[in-house]
Amino acid sequence: PDDFDGLRRVAADLSAAAVKPADANASLAARVAAIDPSSADLQRAAVAIASASGDAARLAAVQDAMKAVTAYALTRLPSSSTVDIGTDRLSGALADELARRPRR
């Protein structure tokens, strides 16, 4: 999937497979591979899922696939922009003044 919703769905299915390793099957492997056919990490993760035998191997493959999908998604996110905090020289001056004066 090229969209983030598709990536989220694959990540959710990987999370479910981490709870129930028997769900780590060829279909899930194909979905991981389809994210980006040119990504060696995703292809490696897909092969590991498809060829894993036993729950421990499936779980390890799913965890590696989660890392690969997350790393891929992070490369596709737009970079963050600078946030202006807007410091004001007088901000807090009223609170400081009120704290300085005793209450009547």
Side-chain angles (χ1 to χ4, degrees), residues 34-92:
I35 291 172
D36 184 357
S38 66
S39 169
D41 290 337
L42 290 171
Q43 300 308 310
R44 210 173 3 260
V47 168
I49 290 172
S51 63
S53 59
D55 285 349
R58 283 188 196 99
L59 180 58
V62 165
Q63 290 171 339
D64 289 342
M66 290 169 118
K67 291 174 189 172
V69 169
T70 301
Y72 176 82
L74 288 173
T75 64
R76 298 300 186 257
L77 287 171
S79 61
S80 60
S81 58
T82 306
V83 177
D84 182 26
I85 297 176
T87 56
D88 180 7
R89 291 185 320 114
L90 296 177
S91 69

